[in-house]
Amino acid sequence: MHVPVRDYTPDDEVARDRATAVLRRHGMDPGAVDSAWAALTSRRPCDGAGLIAYVSLVPSTWQPPRVNVYFSPEAYAVRPPRATNRVQEGWARQWSPTGSRSSSRFR
């Protein structure tokens, strides 16, 4: 199973924490993620999103499970951290007097 974590976490710190938790849960060394991180960039994980692109889990009945953490090089730019919810992104849910919903952008 491949999970595109770069699109579902606000920043790489959250992605790293979740990836290392999966590694620990399956008895693997989470230090490998930090070693790979240090080899690719000097920025802090909370300062961007997308360097950790995917995390995959390959279960097996005849061998230990495999967990892979895929890194994506930031050759052109660092994608900034995302807001964690719609309000932080600047979107509000407005209710009309009739009870129907409409979305509008904060200005």
Side-chain angles (χ1 to χ4, degrees):
M1 170 185 4
H2 285 55
V3 179
V5 295
R6 75 171 151 218
D7 295 325
Y8 297 101
T9 57
D11 58 44
D12 284 318
E13 185 171 38
V14 173
R16 186 202 62 205
D17 291 348
R18 292 178 183 174
T20 57
V22 170
L23 289 167
R24 270 190 221 95
R25 182 174 181 187
H26 292 284
M28 298 172 202
D29 179 18
V33 173
D34 290 330
S35 296
W37 184 276
L40 289 170
T41 187
S42 60
R43 76 165 172 84
R44 297 178 312 163
C46 63
D47 290 340
L51 188 65
I52 298 178
Y54 288 84
V55 176
S56 71
L57 172 63
V58 182
S60 176
T61 56
W62 54 275
Q63 65 182 10
R66 291 190 327 256
V67 176
N68 295 314
V69 179
Y70 295 89
F71 289 83
S72 177
E74 296 172 330
Y76 300 106
V78 174
R79 189 161 70 177
R82 278 187 294 287
T84 57
N85 63 43
R86 293 272 180 200
V87 172
Q88 288 175 316
E89 289 175 357
W91 290 95
R93 179 77 60 199
Q94 293 183 342
W95 295 90
S96 71
T98 60
S100 64
R101 295 183 293 186
S102 66
S103 294
S104 67
R105 185 96 172 139
F106 286 136
R107 290 195 178 14

